[in-house]
Amino acid sequence: MRLRCKVNGEALEADDVWPGESLLYVLRERMGLPGSKNACEQGECGSCTVYLDGVPVCSCLVAAGQVEGHEVTTVEGLAEGERLDPVQQAFVEKGAVQCGFCTPGLIVATHDLLERRCQPSDPEIREALAGNLCRCTGYEKILDAVRLAADRKAAS
């Protein structure tokens, strides 16, 4: 099938897409957007999280055929040109990026949290990020990055 959807604000097409292949595969291999990571392929780790029509989803679990005519925002789409999104910037500044494999999903999950709750409590942050696994950190730098992004959002 020819898949037509809006990705990061741009109308895109991909040809010869099998309707059952994952959105993650289409984004990475057919559309050249490697930000979302392929880790578990079971929706357990959160590394592939993207927005689908404004709702965070594990793109490894979404069939490409379901995306036809819909809007997808990836971690790449959060930035405005070369200017990082405040969440992305906070992750860099706080050293919350180690190997980087979990980072895209954590950034999308944090972005979603801060869209819903400007100044989340630590338990709210932990709950919002519970679907994202990181094997490199003790999560403290990630939590620091979320707090910094929340503080900056509240101040703006």
Side-chain angles (χ1 to χ4, degrees):
M1 71 177 273
R2 173 174 282 167
L3 176 65
R4 294 181 184 98
C5 59
K6 198 172 195 177
V7 179
N8 298 333
E10 181 181 347
L12 295 181
E13 292 183 359
D15 289 323
D16 300 321
V17 173
W18 174 60
E21 69 190 33
S22 72
L23 171 58
L24 176 62
Y25 183 85
V26 170
L27 290 170
R28 290 180 58 81
E29 306 301 329
R30 298 188 183 274
M31 295 183 171
L33 294 165
S36 302
K37 303 301 183 209
N38 185 2
C40 73
E41 296 183 355
Q42 297 178 353
E44 296 291 331
C45 72
S47 294
C48 66
T49 304
V50 299
Y51 284 112
L52 178 59
D53 292 334
V55 177
V57 298
C58 290
S59 60
C60 71
L61 297 179
V62 177
Q66 295 176 287
V67 181
E68 176 69 29
H70 292 274
E71 187 167 347
V72 176
T73 304
T74 68
V75 68
E76 293 99 333
L78 298 180
E80 291 182 25
E82 295 297 313
R83 194 174 128 247
L84 294 178
D85 179 85
V87 173
Q88 293 168 317
Q89 187 63 43
F91 269 67
V92 171
E93 288 178 26
K94 287 296 183 177
V97 179
Q98 288 202 5
C99 83
F101 220 75
C102 66
T103 307
L106 284 163
I107 287 174
V108 173
T110 299
H111 185 272
D112 181 63
L113 169 65
L114 298 182
E115 288 296 307
R116 293 181 287 108
R117 183 116 170 98
C118 189
Q119 283 292 125
S121 66
D122 277 4
E124 289 170 323
I125 294 169
R126 290 176 190 277
E127 182 177 341
L129 301 184
N132 298 79
L133 302 178
C134 176
R135 296 180 184 188
C136 297
T137 71
Y139 292 93
E140 201 54 46
K141 289 183 179 184
I142 293 166
L143 297 173
D144 290 344
V146 176
R147 291 181 199 111
L148 176 60
D151 289 345
R152 287 183 176 164
K153 183 171 179 125
S156 64

